[in-house]
Amino acid sequence: MADKVRGRCGSARQPLIACNLVANAYRQIGQRYAAELRSLSLSFAQMQVLNALERSDGQNPGALTEALAARGSSMTDLLDQLETQGLIERRADPDDRRALRVCLTAAGRRRQREATRIVEKFNGELSRRLTKDEIRAFLKVMHEIRDLTTASGFEP
């Protein structure tokens, strides 16, 4: 019995493979959202931009890029696509005419709310499968991962 518990590495504890599990879950959630977001003519990445702007409208593109851990060229493409759909506007920064601010339009706010309903539906389904203690433990682990990966001096 002890050999079965120890596994191939000879350790009584299974190796923690959090990064693989988190990466796979993120990809799978993104795929699930993508299927439903198509009806709104949005990609998962575009939804993330709209959500970031809903939380803090008028951000500069660099702040959005950093907040979403995106590449600058990818953010430019996303903003171009959202602007073409009339969901965002790029405006001159009143404090620095060389800089831009990205703002949601009324249509962008409506689309963001519709996309949020998709996320809330998934969150509700997940919450119904877990106990409050499991949700608390999950959130603790996710916050620890966030803190570990954003700690000062962390270099990938």
Side-chain angles (χ1 to χ4, degrees):
M1 176 77 165
D3 290 334
K4 288 182 182 179
V5 172
R6 289 183 206 275
R8 291 185 284 194
C9 299
S11 168
R13 294 179 57 168
Q14 289 291 323
L16 185 61
I17 52 170
C19 59
N20 291 348
L21 292 172
V22 170
N24 286 339
Y26 180 78
R27 182 180 45 76
Q28 291 169 325
I29 291 167
Q31 289 172 348
R32 178 176 172 163
Y33 287 165
E36 294 186 51
L37 289 169
R38 275 196 274 292
S39 68
L40 301 177
S41 300
L42 284 178
S43 69
F44 182 59
Q46 289 170 333
M47 178 193 73
Q48 290 179 303
V49 172
L50 294 180
N51 286 342
L53 290 170
E54 193 279 329
R55 285 189 300 275
S56 180
D57 203 16
Q59 295 182 60
N60 67 49
L64 281 170
T65 301
E66 186 176 321
L68 298 175
R71 290 188 330 269
S73 60
S74 297
M75 183 57 64
T76 300
D77 291 344
L78 288 169
L79 295 178
D80 288 346
Q81 294 160 10
L82 292 168
E83 190 170 41
T84 297
Q85 291 185 57
L87 303 177
I88 63 150
E89 294 176 345
R90 291 176 174 121
R91 299 179 186 160
D93 185 329
D95 299 325
D96 180 357
R97 292 186 341 188
R98 296 168 295 163
L100 291 174
R101 296 286 174 179
V102 181
C103 301
L104 284 171
T105 63
R109 287 186 195 291
R110 284 191 300 276
R111 190 78 53 90
Q112 186 278 329
R113 283 192 299 269
E114 293 174 71
T116 296
R117 284 193 280 279
I118 291 168
V119 173
E120 289 171 346
K121 177 181 164 191
F122 175 80
N123 287 344
E125 290 173 17
L126 184 59
S127 293
R128 285 187 289 281
R129 292 175 177 227
L130 302 171
T131 67
K132 288 182 181 182
D133 286 341
E134 289 170 331
I135 292 169
R136 273 193 292 274
F138 170 76
L139 292 174
K140 180 177 180 1
V141 169
M142 295 309 297
H143 287 125
E144 290 296 327
I145 290 171
R146 182 206 56 211
D147 293 349
L148 180 64
T149 58
T150 59
S152 174
F154 174 77
E155 293 184 31

